[in-house]
Amino acid sequence: MQANPLALYGFFLLFLINPLKTCYYKSRFWLLKLLFRVVTAPFHHVGFADFWLADQLNSLVVVLMDLEYMICFYSCELDWTEHKGLFIKTNISMCNTYSYGVRAVIKCLPAWFRFAQCLRRYRDSKRAFPHLVNAGKYSTSFFVVTFSALYSTHKGRVWTCDLNALSLMKFPSVLSVIF
């Protein structure tokens, strides 16, 4: 029963990389090629489809976090030797926390892709507006994610400068909303 979501995501992944020329072959490989271009954006010219897909990835950060949670849950917290259902090995869940750092990196990846694309577009066109302004907008995401991760990992502890830590988290958030 616990393997059903894993089987579904596995099927979707196999369908995406299926090399047979069936079931929208051109569209699937166009998407894979475009994903590669998004990841390698600083090394080549960025076109409309590249930054369109990177913007879509920015909108899908929640889905990427769900995928990260699923991978962490199935690899770290599920006891595969039990056949009666879901049995968590430990009492403390590590997958829904920032304790191992992967969540913050995954939240920053789509913003990093757009940031790199904006810098590349500035390099190609030498126009500060809108490319450097957009790069500044996406760079605020790094600060928001970093400070929110630090705040959530240190929330239970007493900080000597708790007000400063909270303001460090809120200032990039406000900048990110304004942009």
Side-chain angles (χ1 to χ4, degrees):
M1 191 60 88
Q2 66 263 26
N4 288 346
L6 188 62
L8 180 66
Y9 278 113
F11 173 75
F12 285 154
L13 181 66
L14 289 176
F15 178 73
L16 182 65
I17 60 173
N18 177 15
L20 301 176
K21 293 190 178 196
T22 59
C23 297
Y24 304 105
Y25 171 80
K26 288 183 181 182
S27 299
R28 288 185 288 116
F29 278 85
W30 174 82
L31 177 65
L32 289 174
K33 182 181 81 169
L34 208 55
L35 278 171
F36 178 76
R37 287 183 56 84
V38 165
V39 172
T40 61
F43 306 115
H44 54 78
H45 175 74
V46 177
F48 173 76
D50 301 328
F51 66 81
W52 174 81
L53 184 61
D55 274 341
Q56 297 299 317
L57 289 175
N58 269 312
S59 300
L60 295 173
V61 168
V62 176
V63 175
L64 294 175
M65 296 309 300
D66 287 344
L67 286 172
E68 179 272 336
Y69 177 79
M70 184 196 73
I71 291 169
C72 178
F73 176 77
Y74 280 112
S75 60
C76 297
E77 293 187 0
L78 185 66
D79 189 4
W80 286 95
T81 60
E82 295 290 332
H83 298 292
K84 296 177 185 174
L86 299 177
F87 290 96
I88 296 178
K89 292 179 182 178
T90 62
N91 293 337
I92 300 169
S93 173
M94 74 174 245
C95 290
N96 214 11
T97 65
Y98 286 95
S99 62
Y100 64 106
V102 175
R103 292 183 69 82
V105 171
I106 289 177
K107 279 186 176 180
C108 283
L109 275 179
W112 168 256
F113 296 148
R114 278 297 286 141
F115 177 76
Q117 286 177 341
C118 291
L119 292 180
R120 178 58 194 224
R121 298 237 344 169
Y122 171 71
R123 181 181 175 268
D124 291 344
S125 69
K126 301 292 188 228
R127 291 176 36 205
F129 184 81
H131 304 304
L132 288 182
V133 174
N134 279 336
K137 174 177 71 172
Y138 288 108
S139 71
T140 60
S141 298
F142 307 142
F143 297 113
V144 169
V145 169
T146 302
F147 288 125
S148 66
L150 286 174
Y151 183 75
S152 69
T153 56
H154 294 80
K155 192 173 10 180
R157 300 178 191 161
V158 177
W159 287 7
T160 57
C161 54
D162 197 28
L163 184 61
N164 290 337
L166 190 60
S167 64
L168 282 176
M169 183 183 82
K170 296 221 182 241
F171 181 69
S173 299
V174 169
L175 274 180
S176 182
V177 169
I178 289 172
F179 270 118

